[in-house]
């Protein structure tokens, strides 16, 4: 009985995904009535240079934003960790978490006001800045536990042996927290790849990411190019999951990462 | 002294981020909420918010979010419980999480095909003799798809709290003669209440602010607070009213956080 329930849940969770994948091979051109097997939609996808540019944009934004967010996030985590006063620490931590708990719509709308007030032109740059901004707190949260796990005697020992402050950071602290850094970078990457709502607000006319593009395609109705695209994305996600699985196996975090 | 300088250097880019992207946006939203559509300073937005139109919208937004959270919980708790009973439970959990990593828009798009007039759901209804129905663009499809999307986020924290529970407590309850139902009601559920709370938190707040689903799946029949904000910012360009709704959404968010305990472990 309980087996059946679990199987049912798995079926429901995966059904829409396999549904998309299945119809991406339909020569009929709709998501009902399978007419015959074809790879035409994939061919069309790869010939659609506009879409390929959007995919490229999405990847570039994801990689760049996670890179910057990771660097700033590491410093943030180091800073928060070195705070002596409990209250300062807690204040910083709650400020850190504001963007994580805020609904995407609010982040998007408030960033839109911010960029307009600051005179930042909406487009690639504003999207990049927002992605960096909402990824930083995730990196901090992934790095902090590693820092508090680290024994302070490790740093004392390094200093006694004559290591400079810089050496302590690069030779002792950073290697120790590397798994946390990777996990943070990876989470930032998936947040950025997945984001729709924030990007939707802060993107201008000339620049789109994949999520925003899929939204506008879906509003126009069904087109099996999107199915082909989602099949490829599904495979890509699986690869990412496997990579993350191996990172976290080394890292042993306290629970699986999930986006909001 | 030296220590302080390095510490401040660490913190500089991070502090700039906090000021620019955490504090400033919140203050700007508050500031804009005091301007009417012509850009004059006024309290008209707040006055408007307390008119039946917006109050009704807020209420229905809450109602939908409540339903979505409740149904997600009813499905997720037993699922999480059964997952902890399986062999290789971490692997099964991973398989539950994988769909949540698929782009949200793609999942919504899939339901356009499934719930469409000639879609697979309607073929099924016809096959069992109910006949074809309008499924897409109804409250049902909106709630169904939302629950579908939120289930993994509800399962995860509940699974974690069930998993942390000491199994000896169950044996103890059993030895003391508690029935299965009593054990669940008096031991298991109270011990996992934190997981349930954070699960509800990660579902309820986003459910108030979904706007792409209301457009794609509910066909604009359902208006949540999120839809209204998006509408005011990007369609009617009434940033003042949009900000006012955002202010209320932020207040609601803080209220929910304080009610459900301030531990958000969804990341």
């Amino acid at each position: 009985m309980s087996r059946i329930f679990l199987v049912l849940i798995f079926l429901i969770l995966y059904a829409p995904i396999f549904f998309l994948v299945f119809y991406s091979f339909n020569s009929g051109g709709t998501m009902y009535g399978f007419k015959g097997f074809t790879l035409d939609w994939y061919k069309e996808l790869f010939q659609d240079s506009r879409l390929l540019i959007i995919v490229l944009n999405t990847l570039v934004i994801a990689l760049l934003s996670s890179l910057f967010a990771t660097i700033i996030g590491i410093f943030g985590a180091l800073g928060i960790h070195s705070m002596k006063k409990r209250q300062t620490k807690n204040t910083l931590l709650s400020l850190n978490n504001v963007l994580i708990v805020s609904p995407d719509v609010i982040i998007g709308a408030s960033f839109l006001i911010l960029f307009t007030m600051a005179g930042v032109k909406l487009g690639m740059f504003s999207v990049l800045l927002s992605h960096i901004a909402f990824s930083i707190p995730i990196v901090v949260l992934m790095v902090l536990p590693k820092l508090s796990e680290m024994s302070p005697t490790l740093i004392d020992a390094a200093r006694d042996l004559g290591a400079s402050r810089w050496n302590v950071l690069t030779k002792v602290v950073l290697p120790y927290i590397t798994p946390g850094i990777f996990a943070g970078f990876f989470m930032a990457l998936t947040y950025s790849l997945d984001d729709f709502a924030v990007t939707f607000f802060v993107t201008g006319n000339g620049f789109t990411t994949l999520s925003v593009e899929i939204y506008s395609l879906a509003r126009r109705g069904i087109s099996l190019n999107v199915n082909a695209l989602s099949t490829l994305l599904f495979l890509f996600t699986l690869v990412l999951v496997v990579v993350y699985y191996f990172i976290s196996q080394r890292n042993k975090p306290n629970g699986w990462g999930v986006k909001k | 002294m030296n220590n302080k300088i390095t510490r401040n250097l660490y913190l500089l880019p991070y502090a700039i981020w906090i000021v620019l992207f955490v504090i400033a946006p919140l203050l700007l939203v508050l500031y804009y909420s005091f301007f009417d559509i012509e850009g004059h300073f006024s309290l008209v937005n707040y006055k408007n918010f307390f008119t039946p139109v917006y109050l009704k919208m807020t209420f229905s937004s809450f109602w939908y979010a409540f339903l979505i959270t409740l149904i997600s919980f009813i499905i997720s708790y037993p699922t999480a419980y059964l997952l902890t009973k399986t062999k290789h439970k971490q692997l099964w959990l991973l398989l539950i999480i994988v769909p949540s990593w698929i782009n949200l828009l793609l999942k919504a798009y899939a339901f356009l095909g499934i719930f469409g007039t000639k879609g697979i759901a309607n073929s099924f209804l016809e096959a069992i003799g109910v006949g074809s129905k309008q499924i897409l663009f109804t409250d049902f499809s909106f709630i169904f798809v939302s629950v579908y999307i939120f289930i993994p986020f509800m399962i995860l924290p509940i699974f974690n709290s069930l998993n942390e529970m000491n199994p000896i407590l169950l044996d103890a309850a059993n030895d003391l003669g508690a029935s299965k139902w009593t054990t669940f009601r008096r031991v298991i559920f109270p011990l996992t209440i934190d997981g349930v709370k954070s699960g509800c938190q990660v579902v309820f707040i986003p459910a108030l602010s979904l706007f792409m689903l209301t457009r794609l799946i509910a066909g604009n029949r359902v208006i949540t607070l999120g839809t209204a904000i998006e509408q005011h910012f990007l369609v009617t360009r009434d940033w003042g009213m949009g900000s006012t709704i955002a202010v209320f959404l932020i207040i609601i968010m803080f209220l929910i956080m304080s009610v459900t305990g301030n531990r958000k472990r969804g990341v």
Side-chain angles (χ1 to χ4, degrees):
Chain A
M1 182 59 205
S2 63
R3 281 258 168 96
I4 296 169
F5 183 77
L6 269 188
V7 169
L8 201 71
I9 295 288
F10 276 103
L11 274 183
I12 292 174
L13 280 176
Y14 281 91
I17 298 161
F18 287 123
F19 182 79
L20 285 179
V21 173
F22 180 71
Y23 278 101
S24 73
F25 301 110
N26 182 15
S27 61
T30 51
M31 276 207 268
Y32 50 83
F34 195 82
K35 290 243 172 66
F37 180 86
T38 177
L39 287 175
D40 284 356
W41 306 111
Y42 291 87
K43 247 185 254 162
E44 215 179 296
L45 193 66
F46 282 107
Q47 281 159 1
D48 188 346
S49 55
R50 193 183 105 82
L51 202 62
L52 291 181
I53 289 171
I54 292 171
V55 172
L56 211 64
N57 281 341
T58 312
L59 287 175
V60 167
I61 290 279
L63 287 170
L64 276 182
S65 67
S66 337
L67 188 69
F68 283 117
T70 308
I71 295 168
I72 300 173
I74 293 169
F75 285 133
L78 287 170
I80 292 177
H81 184 68
S82 67
M83 285 292 161
K84 294 280 179 313
K85 263 199 217 146
R86 233 197 132 78
Q87 213 192 337
T88 336
K89 213 174 190 168
N90 285 341
T91 314
L92 274 177
L93 268 177
S94 355
L95 283 174
N96 186 67
N97 291 355
V98 167
L99 287 188
I100 291 179
V101 291
S102 301
D104 292 347
V105 178
I106 291 190
I107 301 178
S110 64
F111 283 7
L112 175 63
I113 300 181
L114 180 78
F115 290 136
T116 315
M117 293 277 276
V120 177
K121 203 172 158 282
L122 296 183
M124 180 162 182
F125 189 58
S126 59
V127 173
L128 180 65
L129 276 182
S130 335
H131 282 218
I132 295 173
F134 69 63
S135 301
I136 288 174
I138 305 148
V139 177
V140 172
L141 285 189
M142 299 304 254
V143 174
L144 263 184
K146 281 273 140 194
L147 277 174
S148 42
E149 225 175 67
M150 189 174 67
S151 157
T153 49
L154 215 60
I155 294 169
D156 293 340
R159 308 223 55 206
D160 285 348
L161 292 168
S164 70
R165 217 161 267 287
W166 179 248
N167 275 339
V168 171
L169 180 67
T170 53
K171 299 260 166 69
V172 181
V173 178
L174 286 183
Y176 193 90
I177 60 174
T178 302
I181 294 173
F182 271 113
F185 176 81
F186 192 81
M187 285 308 290
L189 202 67
T190 51
Y191 266 58
S192 171
L193 287 175
D194 243 21
D195 179 70
F196 163 71
V198 178
T199 314
F200 190 65
F201 273 90
V202 298
T203 193
N205 281 329
F207 188 81
T208 330
T209 62
L210 211 47
S211 301
V212 177
E213 179 66 13
I214 295 167
Y215 178 70
S216 61
L217 285 177
R219 286 196 82 177
R220 264 178 260 155
I222 287 164
S223 126
L224 293 189
N225 288 350
V226 181
N227 292 56
L229 182 66
S230 50
T231 307
L232 297 178
L233 282 177
F234 179 56
L235 292 176
F236 182 68
T237 308
L238 282 184
V239 172
L240 279 185
V241 171
V242 171
V243 171
Y244 185 65
Y245 186 72
F246 281 111
I247 292 175
S248 66
Q249 282 300 92
R250 276 201 337 212
N251 193 4
K252 287 275 179 250
N254 34 3
W256 271 90
V258 154
K259 66 189 186 67
K260 297 178 255 192
Chain B
M1 190 58 204
N2 196 4
N3 192 15
K4 257 199 170 153
I5 292 170
T6 11
R7 196 174 75 190
N8 291 341
L9 268 181
Y10 284 159
L11 269 182
L12 189 67
Y14 186 68
I16 292 174
W17 168 76
I18 285 191
V19 173
L20 274 185
F21 289 99
V22 179
I23 298 172
L26 288 180
L27 291 179
L28 282 174
V29 166
L30 187 65
Y31 174 76
Y32 261 87
S33 68
F34 294 113
F35 288 92
D36 64 15
I37 194 162
E38 268 107 37
H40 302 300
F41 183 88
S42 79
L43 288 173
V44 69
N45 296 325
Y46 285 91
K47 215 175 89 194
N48 283 344
F49 189 83
F50 288 102
T51 54
V53 182
Y54 283 100
L55 286 179
K56 224 176 124 190
M57 188 192 75
T58 311
F59 179 77
S60 85
S61 185
F62 258 87
W63 175 241
Y64 282 112
F66 170 75
L67 280 180
I68 292 166
T69 313
L70 183 71
I71 299 170
S72 303
F73 168 73
I74 292 171
I75 297 171
S76 299
Y77 202 98
T79 311
Y81 182 76
L82 293 173
L83 276 179
T84 58
K85 297 276 165 251
T86 54
K87 268 189 220 168
H88 312 294
K89 50 188 170 186
Q90 291 296 338
L91 182 72
W92 291 115
L93 180 68
L94 176 63
L95 286 174
I96 290 266
I97 302 299
V98 168
S100 78
W101 284 22
I102 308 291
N103 198 307
L104 183 76
L105 275 310
L106 286 181
K107 285 180 283 187
Y109 169 80
F111 280 103
L112 290 181
I114 294 173
F115 284 156
T117 339
K118 292 181 188 165
I120 197 166
N122 265 327
S123 318
F124 175 73
L125 285 183
E126 255 166 50
I128 60 169
V130 177
S132 180
K133 284 225 160 52
Q134 172 69 30
I135 307 178
L136 207 59
F137 311 135
T138 60
D139 292 4
F140 168 79
S141 61
F142 174 66
I143 291 175
F144 187 96
V145 177
S146 306
V147 168
Y148 169 83
I149 280 162
F150 286 126
I151 285 177
F153 305 114
M154 181 72 98
I155 293 179
L156 184 76
I158 297 178
F159 175 89
N160 282 339
S161 61
L162 279 167
N163 208 26
E164 278 165 19
M165 198 174 55
N166 192 341
I168 292 172
L169 292 170
L170 302 186
D171 294 337
N174 195 21
D175 288 348
L176 292 168
S179 68
K180 274 200 167 163
W181 171 240
T182 315
T183 312
F184 175 76
R185 202 166 50 91
R186 303 290 290 270
V187 182
I188 301 177
F189 193 73
L191 282 174
T192 53
I193 192 79
D194 275 343
V196 173
K197 279 179 178 174
S198 39
C200 291
Q201 207 177 77
V202 290
V203 172
F204 193 84
I205 295 174
L208 280 176
S209 53
L210 283 172
F211 72 87
M212 56 298 218
L213 284 192
T214 57
R215 295 252 192 271
L216 290 177
I217 303 292
N220 290 338
R221 282 172 38 89
V222 178
I223 295 186
T224 63
L225 292 176
T227 321
I229 294 174
E230 189 253 356
Q231 180 88 12
H232 282 300
F233 267 91
L234 299 177
V235 184
T236 58
R237 307 249 159 204
D238 184 357
W239 287 15
M241 192 62 220
S243 298
T244 307
I245 303 170
V247 167
F248 280 100
L249 190 52
I250 293 169
I251 294 171
I252 293 164
M253 187 182 90
F254 277 117
L255 284 179
I256 294 167
M257 302 280 291
S258 58
V259 170
T260 55
N262 220 341
R263 52 185 297 267
K264 162 112 174 179
R265 295 279 290 275
V267 174

